[in-house]
Amino acid sequence: MDYEGFFRSEIDALRDEGEYRVFANLERHVGAFPRATRRRDGAAQGANDDRHEVTVWCSNDYLGMGQNAEVRAAMVDAIETCGAGAGGTRNISGTNVHHVALEAELADLHGKESALLFTSGYVSNWAALGTLGSRLPGCVILSDALNHASMIEGMRHSRADKRIWKHNDPEDLRRHLAALDPARPKVVAFESVYSMDGDIAPIAEILDVAEEFGAMTYLDEVHAVGLYGPRGGGVAEREGLMDRLTVIEGTLGKAFGVMGGYIAASTALCDWVRSYASGFIFTTSLPPAVAAGACASIRHLKGSDAERMRQRAMVALLRRRLDQMGIPHLPNPSHIVPVMVKDPVKCKMISDILLDDHGIYVQPINYPTVPRGTERLRFTPSPLHTEADVEHLVQSLHALWSQCALSRAVA
Ligand SMILES: *Cc1c(COP(=O)(O)O)cnc(C)c1O
C-alpha cells in the first residue's frame, strides 16, 4: 500500500470540504492576557517580520487564571521543591502531596466525600464512563444528544447499551427510562453548560426524572467550574443540586487555567474507579506543579467573586453592543456568545480577516463541530477584556457584516 499517498488523500478530502484545521501559532504573555503574539505560517521563532499582536477572543482560559500570580507562584514553588515530573503512575511512586491536596480541594469544592484526578477532562470522561458502562452489570447509559466527544468515546468503549435522549429534554429522558427494565443499572450522562450553543441543562428536572427511575447521574461541568456558583463549584452549586448528583466531572484546563480533569463523588465510587479504570491506572500522574497550580486556582476562585462578576459584565456588554448593531448571536444564559454566520466559507473568511486585518483572533466553528448551516464565531469575553476591546470587536464585525453581505438581526 502507498501509505503516504493514503494520508495525503485523506487530508485533501478535508481541505475540499473546508474542514481542514489550521492552528494559530500564539505566544501568550503574562500580564497581557487576553493579548498574544501570533506568528504567521512558516515564520520561525526569532524571525521578527512575521509576527503581530492579537486579542484572543476564543480562549477557554475563561477568567485568565492561566496567568494569575498565585497560580504561577504555586507552580514555580512546586517545581523548585518537587521537580518537573511526577515520576510514575499514581500507584507506582507517582502520588505527590500536591495530588492528594488537590483531590481534597476538589471534593470540598463539590461537597462530595472524594475526588479523583485524571490527566485531562477528556480522560476523566472516557475513563469514568467507560468503567461505569463496562463494569456495572447490564448497565444502560442514557446520554444527552449533544454530549461531548470524550463522553461518547467513553460510552462506546464500554460497549454498554446506550439510549440517546433529546438535548435538554427531561420528558424524552423519562420516556427512555420508563421503557427500560427497572432492575437494570442506569447512568444518566449530561452536561451543565454546552460549549457551542452556551445553553444550560435543566439539572433539577433531569434529576427528578433520574431519581424517579433509580438512575445514577453523571454531570460534566467542564464549562461551568470556576464560573458559576458562589465558590465556583458550577451550575449545580449555584442551584443547590450538588448533593443529588452521583458524579460531577470537571476540568482544570478551562476556567482554572491549568490542566487536568477529575470526578467528584462518593468515596466508594471514586475508590472503585481508581481501582478499575485503565485510563487512571496505566498513565503517569500529572506533574506536581500542575496539581499545585490547579489547587491555588481553585482556592482563589472559591474565595473571590471579582473575576466572575467582571466576566459577566463584559459578556453583557458584548451582547448589548451586538444587539445594537444588528449582529445575530444566539441568546443563552451563559458566558458563551455564539455569533451566527451560517455559512462555512464566510465564517472562515471573516475569521481570517479579523485575524489578519483587525488583530482579533476567533476560531471559526464549522461542521462537524456544529451542524451545517449553523456555522459561527464563538466569543468568550473574559474579565480582562476591556470596554475598548469590545468596541473594536463590534466595529470590526459591523464592517465585515456589510462587506460580506450577511443578514442582520431585526431588533
Ligand atoms: C473540553 C471538554 C472536555 C475535556 O476537557 P479537557 O480537560 O480539555 O480534556 C470535556 N467535556 C467537555 C464538555 C469539554 O468541552
Side-chain angles (χ1 to χ4, degrees):
M1 183 181 182
D2 173 11
Y3 299 110
E4 290 298 311
F6 173 79
F7 301 143
R8 276 193 299 268
S9 73
E10 294 252 297
I11 293 296
D12 288 345
L14 285 181
R15 276 213 187 81
D16 292 345
E17 294 297 313
E19 288 163 19
Y20 183 71
R21 293 183 166 146
V22 182
F23 300 153
N25 179 354
L26 302 172
E27 192 180 331
R28 308 211 296 164
H29 308 291
V30 168
F33 184 96
R35 265 161 272 286
T37 304
R38 172 191 173 226
R39 287 206 179 77
R40 287 198 172 85
D41 276 357
Q45 184 148 10
N48 259 327
D49 42 341
D50 245 354
R51 55 173 69 185
H52 66 138
E53 295 306 303
V54 298
T55 301
V56 180
W57 273 100
C58 55
S59 179
N60 282 341
D61 185 358
Y62 291 124
L63 300 175
M65 291 304 287
Q67 61 155 24
N68 176 276
E70 294 158 44
V71 174
R72 285 185 287 123
M75 294 187 75
V76 169
D77 182 62
I79 286 182
E80 293 304 331
T81 54
C82 301
T89 64
R90 286 292 296 272
N91 189 43
I92 307 179
S93 89
T95 295
N96 191 278
V97 285
H98 294 293
H99 300 121
V100 177
L102 176 54
E103 284 173 340
E105 199 65 48
L106 288 164
D108 173 79
L109 176 67
H110 294 292
K112 296 290 181 195
E113 289 172 350
S114 282
L116 192 66
L117 270 176
F118 298 83
T119 42
S120 73
Y122 187 103
V123 174
S124 62
N125 274 332
W126 183 83
L129 283 172
T131 306
L132 285 165
S134 63
R135 296 198 68 93
L136 280 174
C139 176
V140 192
I141 307 182
L142 297 105
S143 175
D144 183 285
L146 292 190
N147 274 344
H148 188 257
S150 55
M151 301 167 86
I152 295 169
E153 287 301 328
M155 295 182 262
R156 199 203 312 266
H157 174 74
S158 80
R159 300 197 190 158
D161 266 359
K162 185 164 98 172
R163 301 284 184 279
I164 296 170
W165 43 288
K166 282 192 201 127
H167 175 57
N168 278 353
D169 186 343
E171 278 315 305
D172 193 49
L173 172 63
R174 171 191 299 278
R175 277 188 289 277
H176 280 288
L177 281 166
L180 289 168
D181 176 352
R184 291 181 78 176
K186 302 167 194 77
V187 180
V188 172
F190 62 116
E191 302 179 22
S192 56
V193 177
Y194 286 82
S195 72
M196 290 303 149
D197 288 348
D199 54 336
I200 296 182
I203 302 175
E205 292 166 53
I206 291 168
L207 286 172
D208 288 344
V209 176
E211 285 165 4
E212 185 185 327
F213 291 91
M216 283 179 49
T217 47
Y218 183 105
L219 179 63
D220 174 319
E221 288 249 45
V222 158
H223 290 278
V225 288
L227 301 174
Y228 298 89
R231 299 198 311 157
V235 178
E237 185 200 16
R238 181 183 77 185
E239 298 178 359
L241 299 169
M242 292 196 295
D243 61 330
R244 290 175 62 190
L245 286 150
T246 318
V247 180
I248 296 173
E249 183 270 347
T251 184
L252 305 168
K254 290 171 183 170
F256 292 128
V258 191
M259 185 174 186
Y262 64 90
I263 58 168
S266 69
T267 297
L269 191 148
C270 289
D271 200 16
W272 178 78
V273 173
R274 183 186 74 90
S275 306
Y276 286 104
S278 165
F280 175 84
I281 298 170
F282 296 104
T283 189
T284 301
S285 56
L286 287 169
V290 168
C295 213
S297 183
I298 295 163
R299 278 187 193 140
H300 178 90
L301 291 174
K302 274 180 182 171
S304 169
D305 235 4
E307 294 81 5
R308 290 187 277 271
M309 291 303 134
R310 166 83 187 163
Q311 181 205 32
R312 265 164 231 175
M314 297 318 289
V315 170
L317 175 64
L318 176 59
R319 288 184 199 280
R320 193 161 63 244
R321 293 293 294 128
L322 289 172
D323 284 338
Q324 286 163 352
M325 298 302 226
I327 294 173
H329 59 102
L330 274 188
N332 67 47
S334 76
H335 59 285
I336 292 162
V337 184
V339 166
M340 305 307 283
V341 181
K342 301 183 178 177
D343 178 303
V345 177
K346 286 179 178 174
C347 195
K348 171 85 170 74
M349 187 172 84
I350 290 176
S351 90
D352 285 344
I353 301 173
L354 284 172
L355 186 59
D356 289 326
D357 300 349
H358 299 262
I360 289 168
Y361 171 45
V362 62
Q363 195 64 31
I365 312 277
N366 285 354
Y367 180 84
T369 308
V370 294
R372 289 202 167 93
T374 72
E375 293 81 8
R376 66 197 66 182
L377 304 169
R378 173 186 177 273
F379 295 97
T380 55
S382 77
L384 295 159
H385 286 89
T386 64
E387 281 78 359
D389 290 333
V390 171
E391 202 48 37
H392 176 57
L393 170 64
V394 169
Q395 294 300 342
S396 302
L397 286 172
H398 177 64
L400 281 169
W401 238 248
S402 303
Q403 196 179 322
C404 300
L406 286 164
S407 59
R408 303 264 175 175
V410 257

